[in-house]
Amino acid sequence: MIAIFSLLLGMNSCVDVENLTPSVSREGINSIKASFDNDDSSENSFTSEIDYENGIITIVFPYNYPRTSENVLTMDKLKHVRVVANLDDNVTISPAILYMDLTKDNYITVTDQSKKKKTYKVIAEIRKSAECVISSFEIPTAGLSGVIDEGAKTISLISLENIGSVLAKVSVSHGATMSPDPTKQAQNYDNEVKINVTAQNGTTSTVYTVKKAVPSKTEFGLRAGSGKVLWSKKLNSELGISVLNLTGGIAATKDYVVINTRNQNSIYLDRKTGAIAGTLNLGDNVGNLVNFYNTCDDNDNILLCNLSPNAGAFKIWKIKGVTGTPQPFIEWNGGLAMGRKISVKGSIDGDAIITAPIYAAGNQFARWQVKGGVLQSQTPNIITVSGLGGSWGTNCDIVYTDPTNVNSDYFAAFYASPYKFAWISGATNTLKTYLPSNNAGNWIPNATDYAVFNKCPYAVYNTINSFTWGSDDSIYLFDVSTTSSITSPVWNAPIGTYGGKDNGGQNANGTGDVALKVSDNGYYMYLYFMFTNGCVVCVQYDCINM
């Protein structure tokens, strides 16, 4: 009986293996991707086009590399290129590939599931860009930013006043040309202006119509599906921040994103492109425990804090824009562990609420209030939150919803059971509800922000992977107009893409940051986020009814 059972088991195993061969054979090979050795740039990945009928695989390289540089990529740079093939299950390729000399033809043979063979020729092509897109359009003299409807190819200038003939500031696809060029030839924007954009390849083109108008908005909140990543920069290889685990915060002003690295002057990036735009002058406020974290209010006031009690009394400095210098703002010798995060809602030139979590048992935070541009007291109110799980330890961030009302609700991202994002009643300082989370305790929430966009309130928080294994590092944006609207996020960052483990190295402190900003014209909301040792990223949403 044992022998018969073994025989039947073996027969069933054979059937399972045979079922792995699909009834209809596909092409076998789906793509070949190429990359350069010793290049950590996010651009270092080149896709291919496959002509299955004629057996030709063309790996396409850009004319300029890096793509936004003036460096022309030449064929001699393709002598030793790393290649990776994407194959269907049970498909093999010979000879085995790892590197190719793409200055010459390469031949590979693909054997599919039915043992059928096909030979492909692999070649390289350096191709000029076919992109012809206007990504931003501004009239600096009038303080106007155009609202771009890419589908309709229209750019709306929201103005009730005459604009006249003026020069524009335009971001256009790299290598593309404009006719007429509004950055060199003044145009009268009180009338419709048509701009023909021709791509770098000289053949692909599109026409944009610039007009004074007020585009209609969605009834409430952002347009579904409008979230798109405008740019992503690796802290280490692209921004030159080589030290690990010391970059913990970002401060988003109207025009720049300030990246706080504790042992150096903070750098700031152009908010539209992610390009390095300059360095803050922090003076004596540089040090591992001094410029520990920064954030920004609604009026370009950057707030910088130290780590207390490690660096003595808790201090917050204010810096007016990226050209300002640190000025003393708050000093409180409370002897409590503070400074890993601070948040501000509103403007310290008007009304604002500033919070700093206290990293000890008891779910407490310090709160300062600003009224009419005047700090009400150097001594904060100490608020205790009830109804939560365990104490939030060294990872917590708290942001209020109304800068004029200390009894308004607030949100807390913290690392304690049940590891969920918390919506807290400001009137009673008790838990109102938890927002959904897939966090089982391995991933660390430690930053949050809040903004109202097109009449809809939004809250965002992060979860961070601090290990050398596993996959997390994501961002979750929620519609928090009602407690019933938070069953799932309206946008989240793909896991395992932007974090430290997947880029510069293990995020040992489990730190990162998030910031929400609404454009002055009210048509765009920007989400900026950063993972320590990973990337800083800009995501754009709109509320254009299209």
Side-chain angles (χ1 to χ4, degrees), residues 47-99:
T47 58
S48 60
E49 299 170 353
I50 302 181
D51 181 346
Y52 291 107
E53 183 177 351
N54 295 306
I56 300 175
I57 301 175
T58 304
I59 303 176
V60 180
F61 291 84
Y63 179 75
N64 297 114
Y65 186 76
R67 286 176 173 83
T68 57
S69 73
E70 298 303 321
N71 299 325
V72 176
L73 186 64
T74 54
M75 286 298 294
D76 62 290
K77 304 295 184 184
L78 310 182
K79 286 184 174 292
H80 188 70
V81 179
R82 187 177 181 86
V83 289
V84 177
N86 180 275
L87 305 172
D88 289 335
D89 290 339
N90 299 324
V91 173
T92 61
I93 189 172
S94 63
I97 60 172
L98 182 60
Y99 292 95

Side-chain angles (χ1 to χ4, degrees), residues 10 33 41-42 92 116 123 195 197 206 229 325 376 382 421 432 444 472:
K33 287 189 176 181
S41 169
S42 57
T92 61
K116 181 181 177 182
I123 61 175
I195 300 173
V197 182
T206 191
V229 175
T325 55
Q376 297 301 287
I382 304 301
F421 189 38
K432 191 169 186 176
I444 300 173
D472 186 53

Side-chain angles (χ1 to χ4, degrees), residues 395 414-420 437-446 461-474 476 495 501 506-511 531:
N395 287 280
F414 56 93
Y415 185 45
S417 179
Y419 308 104
K420 292 184 177 181
S437 172
N438 294 323
N439 195 345
N442 289 329
W443 319 129
I444 300 173
N446 88 327
Y461 83 108
N462 61 359
T463 59
I464 297 168
N465 179 11
S466 63
F467 305 109
T468 57
W469 51 269
S471 291
D472 186 53
D473 297 313
S474 193
Y476 300 93
I495 288 174
K501 183 185 79 70
Q506 178 189 8
N507 184 351
N509 293 330
T511 51
F531 290 108

Side-chain angles (χ1 to χ4, degrees), residues 171-468:
S171 296
V172 68
S173 301
H174 181 68
T177 57
M178 295 179 288
S179 179
D181 186 341
T183 66
K184 298 177 181 178
Q185 301 168 340
Q187 305 295 315
N188 183 2
Y189 293 105
D190 293 322
N191 305 314
E192 285 192 0
V193 176
K194 293 188 180 295
I195 300 173
N196 185 65
V197 182
T198 303
Q200 187 183 49
N201 62 15
T203 57
T204 310
S205 65
T206 191
V207 176
Y208 287 85
T209 300
V210 187
K211 57 185 179 181
K212 270 203 320 184
V214 180
S216 62
K217 293 183 178 181
T218 57
E219 289 187 5
F220 188 71
L222 58 83
R223 176 173 61 88
S226 66
K228 63 178 180 179
V229 175
L230 290 188
W231 50 262
S232 172
K233 298 291 182 180
K234 296 182 179 180
L235 299 182
N236 189 309
S237 58
E238 295 181 275
L239 300 182
I241 302 175
S242 58
V243 62
L244 295 181
N245 299 319
L246 295 186
T247 300
I250 56 175
T253 74
K254 293 179 180 179
D255 295 312
Y256 303 102
V257 180
V258 181
I259 302 176
N260 177 241
T261 302
R262 285 146 47 188
N263 67 342
Q264 65 183 58
N265 283 314
S266 302
I267 65 171
Y268 57 90
L269 314 180
D270 185 291
R271 71 165 180 85
K272 299 173 188 173
T273 65
I276 296 176
T279 304
L280 254 63
N281 178 15
L282 298 182
D284 295 332
N285 293 80
V286 175
N288 190 41
L289 302 176
V290 182
N291 56 323
F292 203 86
Y293 179 77
N294 67 194
T295 189
C296 189
D297 73 357
D298 292 340
N299 199 31
D300 281 6
N301 293 294
I302 300 165
L303 300 184
L304 180 76
C305 72
N306 66 351
L307 184 67
S308 177
N310 310 60
F314 180 65
K315 297 179 182 179
I316 296 178
W317 296 266
K318 60 181 180 180
I319 306 170
K320 189 63 178 179
V322 295
T323 59
T325 55
Q327 304 297 319
F329 182 50
I330 291 174
E331 181 172 352
W332 180 61
N333 195 7
L336 299 174
M338 301 163 61
R340 296 184 184 275
K341 282 284 190 295
I342 56 172
S343 283
V344 56
K345 181 51 56 182
S347 166
I348 63 171
D349 297 322
D351 296 325
I353 296 176
I354 301 165
T355 56
I358 297 169
Y359 300 106
N363 299 126
Q364 292 184 321
F365 65 93
R367 183 186 69 203
W368 292 263
Q369 187 174 19
V370 178
K371 290 184 178 180
V374 178
L375 180 68
Q376 297 301 287
S377 174
Q378 291 285 332
T379 302
N381 295 109
I382 304 301
I383 309 301
T384 301
V385 183
S386 59
L388 302 181
S391 296
W392 43 53
T394 58
N395 287 280
C396 180
D397 192 17
I398 292 167
V399 62
Y400 269 82
T401 57
D402 184 348
T404 67
N405 182 8
V406 293
N407 292 319
S408 63
D409 288 355
Y410 50 94
F411 290 88
F414 56 93
Y415 185 45
S417 179
Y419 308 104
K420 292 184 177 181
F421 189 38
W423 184 344
I424 299 168
S425 167
T428 60
N429 296 307
T430 59
L431 178 68
K432 191 169 186 176
T433 187
Y434 282 122
L435 280 67
S437 172
N438 294 323
N439 195 345
N442 289 329
W443 319 129
I444 300 173
N446 88 327
T448 183
D449 203 6
Y450 171 91
V452 177
F453 177 53
N454 190 28
K455 300 175 288 186
C456 180
Y458 291 95
V460 63
Y461 83 108
N462 61 359
T463 59
I464 297 168
N465 179 11
S466 63
F467 305 109
T468 57

